Amino acid sequence: MLAVLSVEIRKLNRSLAAVLAVAAPSLIAIFTFFNLLRGKTPMPWDMWMVSAIGIWSFFMLPMSVTALTALVAHMEHGPKSWDHLRALPLPRWRFYAAKAVMVLAVVAVMSAATLLMTWGAVMLATAIKPNLTPTGPLEVGLYATTMGKVFLAAILMAAIQLWIALRFASFVPALVVGIGGTFFSVVATSARAGVFFPWQMPVNMLASGDEAWRVTTALGLGCGLGLVVLALAIAHLARREVL
């Protein structure tokens, strides 16, 4: 399995995955940077860090997962290399499991990068305008915990996207599902049933007060059911003879 993972890492290094992993968090950081410079009075750290987590979980994460899974799948679909891989003397499930691990690893790195780059953007902006230095404590542990929950809640969405991307040789079905899921997530943000919608589960990690139940519900479904769907996807794809 380690050998298969090593090969997947080398493939990702030769792809646009690294560009995507940097670009998506950078957009949030750039937005934060210029938004802070437009301010007139200093705002709490929570304003900037929680807002970044919200933007990431609400829009950038679903779109990034859509692009990433399509990219990972196309690395095999494009050159039609599945026949070669499946002819190797290795259990087929390892190839799909390795891709799933890589997708989740890249999403985890992007999630961490969002927090780090946002912090860097705030520090850079306040170096230009010291009077806008954020107030209140910088609760790194709280932000990291929240982002960790966002990542776990996104596993179901990532599993669905990866399953579709690997199942179909064309990248169109995966893009349609990803864009459609993000669209309905945006237009139905306040829907009570949104907690059961995979593309809305990550943003539900920011719920509080009377809506705190949404956190545990979305986290349990997103992570627990996500791992089940991921296992089913790997088993299904490994049994297929033709892709």
Side-chain angles (χ1 to χ4, degrees), residues 13-232:
N13 287 337
R14 296 196 300 267
S15 71
L16 295 176
V19 176
L20 176 63
V22 173
S26 295
L27 291 174
I28 298 176
I30 292 170
F31 171 79
T32 301
F33 174 78
F34 286 106
N35 202 27
L36 193 152
L37 288 180
R38 291 176 61 250
K40 302 298 182 183
T41 58
M43 303 294 291
W45 271 107
D46 272 6
M47 164 68 183
W48 305 114
M49 301 305 291
V50 175
S51 293
I53 296 173
I55 296 171
W56 170 247
S57 59
F58 183 59
F59 181 76
M60 291 301 292
L61 173 58
M63 294 307 297
S64 296
V65 167
T66 298
L68 178 62
T69 51
L71 176 64
V72 167
H74 187 68
M75 288 191 298
E76 312 302 342
H77 289 316
K80 302 184 184 302
S81 58
W82 281 117
D83 288 340
H84 169 70
L85 288 177
R86 292 162 69 86
L88 294 175
L90 290 171
R92 293 176 176 178
W93 66 266
R94 291 187 182 181
F95 300 116
Y96 302 104
K99 290 190 178 297
V101 170
M102 286 297 100
V103 166
L104 293 179
V106 173
V107 172
V109 169
M110 293 170 75
S111 300
T114 297
L115 289 179
L116 184 60
M117 289 185 181
T118 299
W119 172 82
V122 172
M123 296 303 292
L124 181 59
T126 53
I128 298 173
K129 286 190 173 182
N131 60 305
L132 296 178
T133 299
T135 59
L138 176 62
E139 300 184 78
V140 177
L142 176 61
Y143 307 140
T145 299
T146 303
M147 187 62 93
K149 291 179 180 178
V150 168
F151 167 74
L152 293 176
I155 292 178
L156 177 57
M157 173 182 63
I160 294 171
Q161 287 289 159
L162 184 62
W163 195 345
I164 296 172
L166 292 175
R167 168 61 181 81
F168 298 99
S170 172
F171 61 85
V172 174
L175 290 182
V176 169
V177 171
I179 294 172
T182 304
F183 170 76
F184 284 108
S185 176
V186 171
V187 299
T189 304
S190 59
R192 190 174 181 83
V195 69
F196 303 107
F197 188 55
W199 284 261
Q200 267 196 23
M201 288 177 181
V203 77
N204 274 285
M205 296 304 100
L206 297 176
S208 59
D210 293 339
E211 297 291 310
W213 64 272
R214 301 175 74 94
V215 175
T216 54
T217 303
L219 183 59
L221 290 173
C223 182
L225 187 57
L227 292 175
V228 172
V229 171
L230 204 56
L232 290 174

